[in-house]
Amino acid sequence: MDTVLRNATVIDGTGETPPYRADVGLAEGRIAAICREGDGGKRPSGRRMIDAQGLALAPGFIDMHAHSDLALLADPAHEAKAAQGVTLEVLGQDGLSYAPVDDRTLDEVRTRITGWNGDGRDIDFDWRTVGEYLDRLDRGIAVNAAYLVPQGTVRMLAVGWEDRPATAAETGHMRRLVAEGLEQGAVGLSSGLTYPPGMYADDAELTELCRVVARYGGYYCPHHRSYGAGALRAYGEMIALARSAGCALHLAHAVMNFPENAGRAPELLALLDSALAEGCDITLDTYPYTPGCTTLAALLPGWASAGGPDAVLARLRDDAASARIRHTLETEGSDGCHGTRVDWETVEISGVATPGLAASYTGKTVARAARERGEEPWATARRLLIEDRLGTTMLHHVGDEGNVRTIMRHRVHTGGSDGILHGAKPHPRAFGTFPHYLGRYVRELGVLSLEECVAHLTSRPAARLRLPDRGLVREGHRADLVLFDPDTVAAGSTFEAPRALPTGIPYVLIAGRFVMEDGRRTDVLAGRSVRRAPAA
């Protein structure tokens, strides 16, 4: 064997098999032998022996909702995910990413989601298609990555930033773009239906695109139209759409947020259970925290975002348009704010694109920053959006802990960090989601058993991604593995120190190679793109 992990306590990822002691031998990037204690078989030997006494051996964790699209290229170490035991991330989320693009749309999408990923100024954007982006990842990255075709970016290419239904010709163009992305290896389609321009698509348009996804055996992953007012209606819309298209559905960061939804998670789960009983193919992901995180510009009403970033900035500079935006945000309730009226006390600035603005805003709510300036919160938010050219990132403190715990117990639940790595004070979920599940919600609170939780983070997402040789500790499966201490594993990241690394995860392997060793990042770049199998 290349490596043997001695005396490990195997948590195999099924969620059903009790933990067992074993020696696990690895060869040529795969699990070559599992010798259970007491079986009487010959123990495997290898060129490298790791004593895993007291450590749990699990499949590598799969982050079903990641925003590492540029971070994987800009930061070879990528400790934010490698140190958590993540061996595969799913990129291209929320309908906005960097392929497929042309020169115009690349500039526009870089501006629009600077708050998610930075502006990428140190990256050579030498791709335009999905296949070329995946080829770029194949040069070597910290962890593996799969990709969803981003519907908003596709609409940017075919329609632009206009708030109107697509024509038949434009819909045909989008169908071809989605098909090309899937043929080149994307695993499905994502949408951001509170983000422009994807939010301007109606259900008929989305259904047409999902029919393409279904034909290729992919799945649809929507950030749907509301997680606040009308959240259940928005979930129901996505279920009906997927049913109509015959498409598998994966609900992104499936939360019930804002005060009006406190304690209402059972209603969501009843809706899901009804659809599952009817034969719908549905899964979901969540992160184990209450605040959300996105860009400050995401709060703006959809009509204010029509025309693209330059048009948004022009409206913000215009006093009459600005007054209308404020009225929508604070009095009517913006679709960008999930149909609720914004509460500036819940909006905390977590990062800015313009370094000179950081000291005045980062770590403060908009309401607090406004009080310090002696002005109304909208005046502060407006100024910041203009001066930072829409690049501001925020934490949104609107979640409900009871809902978080209830949803993570569901049988189709998977883990997704929704981790935005950009900004001076990012959400701790970016660095802590997976150890936080294991430490807080398994060991401390007992919300899930260890075996159940590992299944949520491994085999369930592997099944959604249709990866037959990942997500389980089995002979012949890929040696994407994590060794952790169940008694000490914990997220180091907090809201005060969001970039602190986790504890209790000494070893992480990808394709049998150590990317984390003795709790330290190695220089191994074993990650590659994970592509959808070609359609028949």
Side-chain angles (χ1 to χ4, degrees):
M1 303 291 171
D2 298 323
T3 302
V4 174
L5 309 174
R6 287 270 198 218
N7 304 311
T9 299
V10 176
I11 314 295
D12 71 356
T14 62
E16 301 171 354
T17 306
Y20 62 87
R21 288 276 296 276
D23 296 345
V24 179
L26 315 178
E28 298 181 351
R30 294 191 176 269
I31 300 171
I34 300 175
C35 181
R36 293 191 184 214
E37 184 179 70
D39 280 357
K42 184 178 179 181
R43 300 180 77 180
S45 61
R47 286 185 287 274
R48 175 134 190 231
M49 310 288 284
I50 298 293
D51 184 3
Q53 182 76 36
L55 298 178
L57 175 66
F61 304 138
I62 298 176
D63 188 342
M64 286 297 288
H65 194 104
H67 288 283
S68 303
D69 307 48
L70 299 185
L72 277 167
L73 302 176
D75 176 18
H78 199 46
E79 285 185 295
K81 296 301 176 65
Q84 291 187 61
V86 171
T87 58
L88 170 60
E89 299 183 272
V90 184
L91 314 177
Q93 300 286 350
D94 297 327
L96 290 168
S97 190
Y98 306 94
V101 292
D102 56 18
D103 292 347
R104 172 186 63 83
T105 55
L106 177 58
D107 287 344
E108 291 171 348
V109 77
R110 285 177 67 181
T111 299
R112 184 69 204 192
I113 55 174
T114 291
W116 290 356
N117 300 314
D119 62 9
R121 67 183 65 186
D122 297 327
I123 293 173
D124 178 10
F125 288 83
D126 59 352
W127 68 85
R128 292 296 180 269
T129 69
V130 169
E132 290 168 350
Y133 175 69
L134 297 177
D135 288 343
R136 177 68 179 275
L137 299 180
D138 282 339
R139 298 179 196 174
I141 48 179
V143 305
N144 298 307
Y147 189 75
L148 296 163
V149 179
Q151 172 256 331
T153 304
V154 165
R155 201 173 207 271
M156 237 181 275
L157 275 166
V159 183
W161 292 80
E162 297 178 45
D163 182 0
R164 62 168 176 79
T167 65
E170 290 165 343
T171 300
H173 187 189
M174 287 187 282
R175 286 173 55 91
R176 290 190 296 274
L177 289 169
V178 171
E180 288 168 5
L182 292 162
E183 288 170 358
Q184 292 164 8
V187 296
L189 175 74
S190 77
S191 284
L193 300 180
T194 65
Y195 300 130
M199 68 192 305
Y200 305 138
D202 59 22
D203 286 358
E205 178 182 319
L206 295 171
T207 301
E208 284 298 304
L209 301 186
C210 284
R211 287 183 175 134
V212 177
V213 176
R215 191 170 76 240
Y216 283 89
Y219 68 91
Y220 180 45
C221 180
H223 164 127
H224 51 268
R225 298 190 194 274
S226 176
Y227 293 85
L232 288 173
R233 182 171 62 252
Y235 279 112
E237 175 193 6
M238 294 298 99
I239 292 170
L241 190 155
R243 182 189 289 116
S244 176
C247 185
L249 177 65
H250 181 83
L251 296 165
H253 36 60
V255 295
M256 293 283 286
N257 282 344
F258 299 90
E260 51 263 64
N261 287 320
R264 298 186 68 191
E267 297 176 57
L268 168 61
L269 300 187
L271 179 67
L272 297 179
D273 286 338
S274 177
L276 289 164
E278 294 171 3
C280 294
D281 183 0
I282 303 174
T283 51
L284 58 87
D285 65 68
T286 70
Y287 46 84
Y289 299 87
T290 53
C293 180
T294 187
T295 61
L296 183 61
L299 298 179
L300 300 176
W303 60 261
S305 297
D310 289 341
V312 178
L313 290 166
R315 290 187 186 98
L316 289 167
R317 294 187 182 101
D318 180 81
D319 289 343
S322 172
R324 184 183 170 200
I325 293 170
R326 177 182 182 178
H327 179 78
T328 304
L329 280 168
E330 297 181 349
T331 304
E332 295 179 354
S334 164
D335 49 2
C337 195
H338 306 277
T340 67
R341 293 189 295 272
V342 68
D343 177 358
W344 295 113
E345 294 284 2
T346 68
V347 179
E348 178 186 355
I349 304 305
S350 60
V352 293
T354 306
L357 299 173
S360 299
Y361 296 102
T362 302
K364 301 175 183 178
T365 66
V366 171
R368 176 186 165 188
R371 286 193 294 270
E372 292 177 355
R373 302 180 71 95
E375 61 189 11
E376 295 294 318
W378 170 243
T380 298
R382 177 190 182 190
R383 178 184 298 104
L384 181 54
L385 286 165
I386 293 170
E387 293 180 354
D388 206 27
R389 290 192 55 80
L390 311 181
T392 306
T393 311
M394 70 175 204
L395 300 181
H396 207 184
H397 296 272
V398 292
D400 179 79
E401 177 67 17
N403 287 345
V404 170
R405 297 187 193 189
T406 298
I407 293 169
M408 73 169 64
R409 294 189 185 102
H410 197 270
R411 65 187 187 279
V412 300
H413 169 268
T414 68
S417 70
D418 197 10
I420 293 174
L421 302 167
H422 179 65
K425 193 175 180 289
H427 196 304
R429 69 192 185 192
F431 285 74
T433 285
F434 295 87
H436 199 49
Y437 268 120
L438 296 167
R440 176 67 172 160
Y441 289 92
V442 172
R443 185 180 64 247
E444 296 177 7
L445 298 176
V447 175
L448 295 167
S449 72
L450 182 58
E451 298 94 315
E452 288 173 327
C453 186
V454 168
H456 288 218
L457 308 181
T458 59
S459 62
R460 289 186 186 176
R464 165 51 70 217
L465 294 167
R466 299 187 177 180
L467 302 176
D469 61 351
R470 301 175 198 249
L472 295 170
V473 179
R474 283 189 181 164
E475 291 183 1
H477 276 52
R478 291 180 60 89
D480 294 354
L481 301 165
V482 55
L483 279 162
F484 64 92
D485 184 345
D487 295 329
T488 63
V489 63
S493 59
T494 64
F495 288 99
E496 293 71 33
R499 295 182 183 274
L501 297 180
T503 57
I505 306 179
Y507 298 101
V508 181
L509 300 94
I510 294 179
R513 301 172 66 192
F514 288 87
V515 296
M516 295 292 298
E517 187 173 349
D518 295 325
R520 296 182 177 86
R521 179 72 172 93
T522 70
D523 61 0
V524 169
L525 296 176
R528 298 294 185 271
S529 69
V530 174
R531 308 192 190 209
R532 185 197 58 81

